[in-house]
Amino acid sequence: MNPLLEKFDTPFETAPFDRIANEHFLPAVKEAIQLAKEEIARIKEERLPDFTNTVVALENSGEKLSRVASIFFNLNAAETNDTIQKLAREISPLLSAHGNDVLLDEELFDRIRQVYQQKEQLHLSTEEDRLLEKTYKSFLRNGALLNAAGKERLREIDQQLSQLGLRFGENVLQETNAFELVITEEKDLEGLPEGVVEAATQTAEEKGKAGSWVFTLAFPSYVPFMTYANNRELRKQLFMAYTTKAAKGDALDNQEIIKEIVRLKDERARLLDYPNYAAFVLEERMAGDGMQVLEFLHDLLEKARPKALAEMEELEAFARERDGLEKLQKWDVNFYAEKLKMKKYEVDDELLKPYFELNRTIDGVFLTAEKLYGIRFEKNSSIPVYHPDVTAYEVKDEQGAHLAVFYADFFPRAGKRNGAWMTVYRGQKRQQGNEQRPHVSIVCNFTKPTKTKPSLLTFNEVTTLFHEFGHALHGMLANGTFESLSGTNVYWDFVELPSQIFENWCYEKDCLDLFARHYETGAPIPQQLIEKIKKAANFHQGYQTVRQISLGLLDMAYYTTDPTSIDDIFAFEREVMKPTELLEPIPGSLMSTSFSHIFQGGYAAGYYSYKWAEVLDADAFELFLEKGIFDPETARSFKENILAMGGQEHPEILYKRFRGRGPETTALLKRAGLLA
């Protein structure tokens, strides 16, 4: 029997990871597609289409397929291998073809259109009206009105894009896993903290290179080396390896893949009568159109660039004074920034890390959520997990009732892509009187425990944990009827609000006092260190802001430019990045070929949304600061109007209901130190 096709007899119907084998996926996908087709056929057999037998029935169709696909693709990101990657290349086109079969089905669309044309007489609730609008638009935006030739071409494009995205990600992962900086001389470790050296020793042993120290391109290895290693040449070597991923002209090079992705997305948009892919995407975003996005980014750039240039001048002067460095290069920034931050604020990651032991910090995240929203987390070892590093929790509400399942996966490994993300194995919905509660996961790449030290987080890793947990809260506290409007199923430039606002608690004493204790002595983090964290919060904010803007502009350039004019990826990126360059560009380095957000993930023509959501999060957190960061009424309002609502209403309406007005940029500019 195939466990993916049976009713899951696990606690809370969680994925039966302990019984799933790779060979189960392809047959399960094929069978689930067939079941979904039968459900669609039954919808079309109904005599008179109405909201329930057509729109709601379509919303609830394909449930088995959705679950199998989510399990498979989540594993392809967090615990992949050659077999899973090969399966992905076979499964992706099947899913793409099925999606097209549904959205290009003329008979089904005709039924949807009939219901849509009656919507004024249907007396639908706000949420129902939103579902009808979203369903109808999804058909239009996926070619329902195209002629036969157009529909066929759209199918071909979607098939190709599904394959290209997979290949892009596989190449980045292989490049990340392939590189090793093997150090055999102890002098080359100068400047590195003891815990970093110990982790490199452990990595060397795991890779069969005992007696040496191995550094990789995984974040917990790469970032500390770039921050602390005195050996400038080795910093350069690691930097070049990191910034030339999939850009070396070999079999793993992503440049031609980028050109093809951009070309196909542009063609797809034009097929649907949009001027470019960005216009297609932004129609369904708060920003509305590309002009608004570019105005937003350029306005921020105008405010941030002078501060960023001043920061780099100060950093270069500091490096010259400290070490006689004649010219600051990009592989020097992290190293000297950390030294300068220590000089100015007497705080650095090595001072802070002992207070942020991973398990205690996780408890702190849970406590923060409990104080705000009344929810509790209980480890549940009976819930199957996909890797021994993963911990499963049952989440309960204030009354002790089951709310969600939460998976936490924190350490890097060969089968996991870099970075951090939140994902869902099952969404929330209500169907025929039954409540389906969500299964949510966060995946990170933090420093692993060593033989002598537990996992100690940098402050940046603490904010990453809070960020991803903010996304998880959006999923876990979902309270809607329809899964496609529930949890994180919101406009893309609104989805980062719950995650980014949650980072703010990391800087507040009342929150840090809950969990920040020295891992050896148990002493709470000193008040003066908290004050230093807050003072240092604006350190290099100009630089960080300009970097984020540069990525947003690069993203927009790819999806607004005529793709036939993009011949040379290096030259294209260099030209786009020119207004945001703060240091001399490094020949050979390239961001685009590992920019997975916009070529593999869902951020194409949407990377600006990180900065967009920062405006929202800074403005929203101002209210918490006014009322108290754990103020019950403010927390209740944020939970009810933002977290629980998902995409049931337009985000501007939800935000105004919480804040009492529209968002203002003042709070962000003040927080980032960009106001004069």
Side-chain angles (χ1 to χ4, degrees):
M1 292 292 288
N2 189 326
L4 288 166
L5 293 172
E6 300 168 23
K7 181 176 170 60
F8 296 171
D9 58 359
T10 48
F12 315 111
E13 297 181 349
T14 47
F17 292 115
D18 53 341
R19 293 190 287 121
I20 298 171
N22 289 341
E23 58 266 24
H24 293 137
F25 283 113
L26 187 58
V29 167
K30 288 179 175 177
E31 176 67 22
I33 286 174
Q34 185 55 40
L35 289 171
K37 285 182 183 296
E38 291 167 9
E39 290 169 341
I40 298 295
R42 285 196 290 274
I43 292 171
K44 294 191 293 185
E45 286 168 5
E46 295 281 350
R47 286 186 59 199
L48 291 172
D50 60 32
F51 180 75
T52 301
N53 70 21
T54 301
V55 180
V56 175
L58 178 61
E59 164 75 9
N60 291 326
S61 68
E63 183 177 345
K64 176 62 73 176
L65 180 59
S66 176
R67 291 221 63 191
V68 172
S70 71
I71 292 168
F72 176 76
F73 284 104
N74 283 331
L75 288 181
N76 191 38
E79 184 56 18
T80 195
N81 52 50
D82 290 344
T83 304
I84 286 181
Q85 289 180 11
K86 183 171 179 292
L87 281 168
R89 291 191 287 273
E90 196 168 351
I91 287 171
S92 284
L94 294 177
L95 294 174
S96 179
H98 173 67
N100 287 144
D101 285 345
V102 174
L103 292 167
L104 296 174
D105 186 316
E106 292 181 16
E107 189 181 345
L108 182 60
F109 175 59
D110 186 57
R111 295 178 67 87
I112 298 289
R113 180 161 46 189
Q114 287 181 58
V115 179
Y116 185 77
Q117 288 168 346
Q118 304 166 34
K119 77 176 209 163
E120 300 305 324
Q121 291 80 48
L122 295 178
H123 307 295
L124 301 175
S125 69
T126 303
E127 186 180 6
E128 289 170 337
D129 186 72
R130 190 95 170 146
L131 179 68
L132 177 54
E133 188 77 28
K134 183 176 179 177
T135 305
Y136 180 67
K137 273 191 175 179
S138 71
F139 277 81
L140 295 184
R141 288 168 57 80
N142 285 280
L145 297 179
L146 293 175
N147 60 26
K151 287 179 178 178
E152 186 54 38
R153 180 58 189 147
L154 187 135
R155 285 177 181 275
E156 292 168 1
I157 290 171
D158 286 348
Q159 293 272 6
Q160 290 173 273
L161 284 171
S162 70
Q163 294 283 25
L164 288 166
L166 285 171
R167 280 177 53 205
F168 184 97
E170 288 168 9
N171 289 347
V172 173
L173 183 63
Q174 283 189 56
E175 284 272 76
T176 302
N177 287 340
F179 179 84
E180 294 174 1
L181 175 63
V182 182
I183 292 177
T184 55
E185 300 286 331
E186 198 162 354
K187 63 180 174 58
D188 291 331
L189 301 170
E190 285 177 10
L192 292 169
E194 178 191 335
V196 174
V197 173
E198 189 176 356
T201 304
Q202 190 164 299
T203 302
E205 289 172 358
E206 290 168 358
K207 291 178 175 289
K209 294 178 179 175
S212 64
W213 298 269
V214 172
F215 293 87
T216 71
L217 300 182
F219 285 167
S221 181
Y222 175 79
V223 174
F225 195 91
M226 297 303 296
T227 305
Y228 296 107
N230 288 347
N231 190 315
R232 193 180 186 215
E233 272 306 307
L234 290 180
R235 289 204 312 272
K236 178 181 178 181
Q237 188 179 331
L238 198 60
F239 174 87
M240 292 306 298
Y242 192 86
T243 59
T244 57
K245 281 188 288 188
K248 301 181 183 70
D250 56 14
L252 298 179
D253 193 297
N254 274 337
Q255 291 178 76
E256 292 305 316
I257 291 176
I258 288 172
K259 291 181 196 176
E260 191 65 2
I261 287 174
V262 171
R263 186 188 68 76
L264 288 169
K265 288 193 170 183
D266 183 77
E267 184 185 349
R268 192 185 196 282
R270 290 176 186 278
L271 256 181
L272 297 170
D273 211 24
Y274 294 87
N276 52 52
Y277 188 71
F280 168 77
V281 168
L282 293 165
E283 182 184 63
E284 293 290 285
R285 299 287 190 267
M286 288 181 76
D289 60 58
M291 187 64 70
Q292 177 105 331
V293 171
L294 291 172
E295 283 179 8
F296 169 72
L297 292 174
H298 283 296
D299 182 56
L300 267 182
L301 181 60
E302 188 180 326
K303 293 179 171 69
R305 184 172 164 79
K307 187 171 195 289
L309 286 169
E311 289 168 353
M312 289 301 100
E313 286 171 12
E314 180 190 36
L315 192 65
E316 191 159 42
F318 172 74
R320 191 181 304 117
E321 180 188 333
R322 183 183 187 273
D323 292 331
L325 196 74
E326 289 186 14
K327 188 172 183 131
L328 191 74
Q329 298 284 5
K330 292 189 176 182
W331 48 83
D332 299 317
V333 172
N334 282 17
F335 179 78
Y336 285 106
E338 192 70 11
K339 304 291 182 289
L340 180 59
K341 187 167 74 171
M342 184 63 181
K343 180 185 176 185
K344 291 179 77 165
Y345 304 104
E346 297 179 311
V347 64
D348 68 1
D349 278 335
E350 288 308 299
L351 267 178
L352 297 174
K353 279 170 70 173
Y355 295 96
F356 296 116
E357 189 271 323
L358 176 60
N359 291 320
R360 191 183 284 277
T361 306
I362 295 165
D363 289 342
V365 169
F366 290 165
L367 272 170
T368 305
E370 184 175 347
K371 283 178 72 70
L372 286 167
Y373 308 120
I375 58 178
R376 298 194 311 278
F377 294 76
E378 297 176 3
K379 278 186 187 176
N380 189 326
S381 57
S382 65
I383 296 172
V385 292
Y386 56 85
H387 189 277
D389 284 350
V390 181
T391 304
Y393 299 83
E394 182 190 359
V395 189
K396 295 182 176 179
D397 67 14
E398 290 169 282
Q399 286 74 44
H402 175 74
L403 186 69
V405 169
F406 174 65
Y407 299 96
D409 179 359
F410 291 127
F411 302 123
R413 50 183 177 267
K416 183 197 282 193
R417 65 179 171 89
N418 240 337
W421 62 95
M422 168 268 187
T423 189
V424 174
Y425 283 92
R426 184 178 83 171
Q428 179 270 332
K429 66 178 177 180
R430 285 190 289 275
Q431 186 178 354
Q432 297 173 338
N434 295 318
E435 174 94 18
Q436 175 179 289
R437 293 309 304 169
H439 302 164
V440 173
S441 173
I442 61 173
V443 187
C444 303
N445 282 275
F446 296 146
T447 306
K448 295 177 78 168
T450 64
K451 290 171 184 172
T452 63
K453 282 187 175 65
S455 176
L456 301 176
L457 304 184
T458 66
F459 191 69
N460 186 55
E461 288 175 324
V462 175
T463 60
T464 296
L465 176 57
F466 271 72
H467 178 102
E468 298 308 333
F469 194 79
H471 280 309
L473 286 170
H474 203 183
M476 293 185 289
L477 293 171
N479 185 27
T481 304
F482 307 116
E483 189 170 345
S484 69
L485 297 174
S486 176
T488 55
N489 291 310
V490 299
Y491 278 1
W492 210 258
D493 44 11
F494 193 63
V495 78
E496 294 296 333
L497 168 59
S499 55
Q500 289 181 187
I501 194 173
F502 204 58
E503 293 180 38
N504 289 280
W505 272 263
C506 300
Y507 295 89
E508 300 299 321
K509 181 181 186 301
D510 287 351
C511 177
L512 291 170
D513 283 346
L514 297 175
F515 66 93
R517 293 180 176 275
H518 198 285
Y519 79 100
E520 289 177 315
T521 66
I525 188 167
Q527 173 65 28
Q528 62 266 34
L529 260 188
I530 296 176
E531 289 168 6
K532 288 172 181 177
I533 289 172
K534 292 202 78 162
K535 283 180 183 173
N538 281 346
F539 182 69
H540 278 193
Q541 269 299 299
Y543 171 80
Q544 296 297 344
T545 300
V546 169
R547 172 170 163 70
Q548 283 293 93
I549 292 168
S550 75
L551 297 177
L553 289 172
L554 181 63
D555 170 37
M556 288 299 291
Y558 272 117
Y559 294 113
T560 55
T561 302
D562 177 356
T564 61
S565 69
I566 305 176
D567 296 321
D568 183 330
I569 297 295
F570 278 94
F572 181 78
E573 178 175 308
R574 185 68 43 81
E575 186 62 27
V576 173
M577 295 288 219
K578 198 181 289 181
T580 61
E581 285 288 4
L582 301 171
L583 294 172
E584 190 175 290
I586 305 299
S589 66
L590 194 62
M591 172 66 203
S592 298
T593 48
S594 59
F595 200 175
S596 298
H597 276 77
I598 70 166
F599 296 120
Q600 184 193 10
Y603 281 85
Y607 198 83
Y608 75 92
S609 54
Y610 282 105
K611 295 310 291 182
W612 186 277
E614 273 191 55
V615 171
L616 301 178
D617 99 66
D619 187 63
F621 192 65
E622 281 274 295
L623 189 60
F624 279 98
L625 289 173
E626 289 168 20
K627 306 286 188 182
I629 66 164
F630 290 114
D631 176 59
E633 183 57 31
T634 310
R636 181 198 60 76
S637 177
F638 192 77
K639 175 184 174 182
E640 291 180 359
N641 291 310
I642 307 294
L643 299 176
M645 286 295 288
Q648 295 174 47
E649 292 186 68
H650 194 285
E652 284 182 12
I653 296 170
L654 297 177
Y655 188 85
K656 286 177 181 176
R657 197 174 292 150
F658 164 70
R659 194 64 174 95
R661 56 163 173 75
E664 298 173 357
T665 60
T666 310
L668 172 64
L669 297 173
K670 187 168 72 175
R671 186 175 74 184
L674 300 178
L675 277 182

